[in-house]
Amino acid sequence: MFQTCRLKCVSKHVDARRVLKSYKCSGMDGTGFLLRELNFYDGKKGAVLGDHYHVATTEIFIVTKGSLRLLIRTIVSKQKKDRMESFMFNKGDAFVVYPYEHHTIHCLTDVSLVTALDKPFNNLNPDIVKLK
């Protein structure tokens, strides 16, 4: 079934680490449509992004500029120290982070990323869990 959506810019966040522009999908009924939010990141060399996991959200990352190192581990419990894995990604690479995969991005150069989420971010009930 062919589906479409309209992307509407809903926020822009700037801090010392990065610029983030968020777009939400609208104008469709939402049944079966995988893309709910699209984000454009410009991360600065040396910045650390993420350092969290999601309970219900799957996130696709596409590197459009630069190089980064991804640290990722599957969360079994907040107390258990699970095995951390490290991956290198460069312009043109893509990867998927599933629920309960703690992910931290280290920008090795200035980096541009596009992320696609299957659930839109909700400021009142964010699906972001930070480890202490």
Side-chain angles (χ1 to χ4, degrees):
M1 169 191 253
F2 180 74
Q3 292 183 326
T4 64
C5 79
R6 181 167 309 278
L7 294 172
K8 178 182 177 188
C9 187
V10 294
S11 68
K12 180 178 180 181
H13 175 81
V14 179
D15 62 32
R17 302 171 301 147
R18 50 109 160 82
V19 173
L20 164 63
K21 296 178 195 171
S22 293
Y23 293 78
K24 302 278 193 243
C25 287
S26 63
M28 45 84 165
D29 68 4
T31 57
F33 200 80
L34 296 178
L35 176 65
R36 297 310 218 164
E37 180 173 316
L38 195 63
N39 298 304
F40 295 87
Y41 288 88
D42 290 316
K44 296 181 180 179
K45 180 180 179 179
V48 178
L49 307 174
D51 195 20
H52 61 254
Y53 67 93
H54 307 284
V55 173
T57 304
T58 298
E59 195 169 10
I60 299 169
F61 292 79
I62 302 164
V63 183
T64 60
K65 175 181 137 184
S67 298
L68 63 89
R69 183 178 59 168
L70 172 70
L71 298 177
I72 194 160
R73 68 180 169 143
T74 301
I75 301 300
V76 175
S77 73
K78 288 185 182 181
Q79 291 76 34
K80 184 176 179 190
K81 297 293 182 194
D82 303 298
R83 184 177 59 127
M84 182 83 65
E85 295 182 88
S86 178
F87 301 93
M88 298 290 294
F89 294 99
N90 300 295
K91 178 182 176 180
D93 293 336
F95 56 94
V96 179
V97 174
Y98 294 97
Y100 292 97
E101 289 184 336
H102 184 271
H103 50 288
T104 305
I105 294 171
H106 293 266
C107 299
L108 303 176
T109 64
D110 286 347
V111 171
S112 293
L113 300 167
V114 177
T115 65
L117 289 74
D118 68 342
K119 295 185 178 30
F121 182 78
N122 180 338
N123 282 324
L124 300 176
N125 188 22
D127 183 21
I128 293 178
V129 181
K130 295 265 190 186
L131 295 178
K132 295 181 177 39

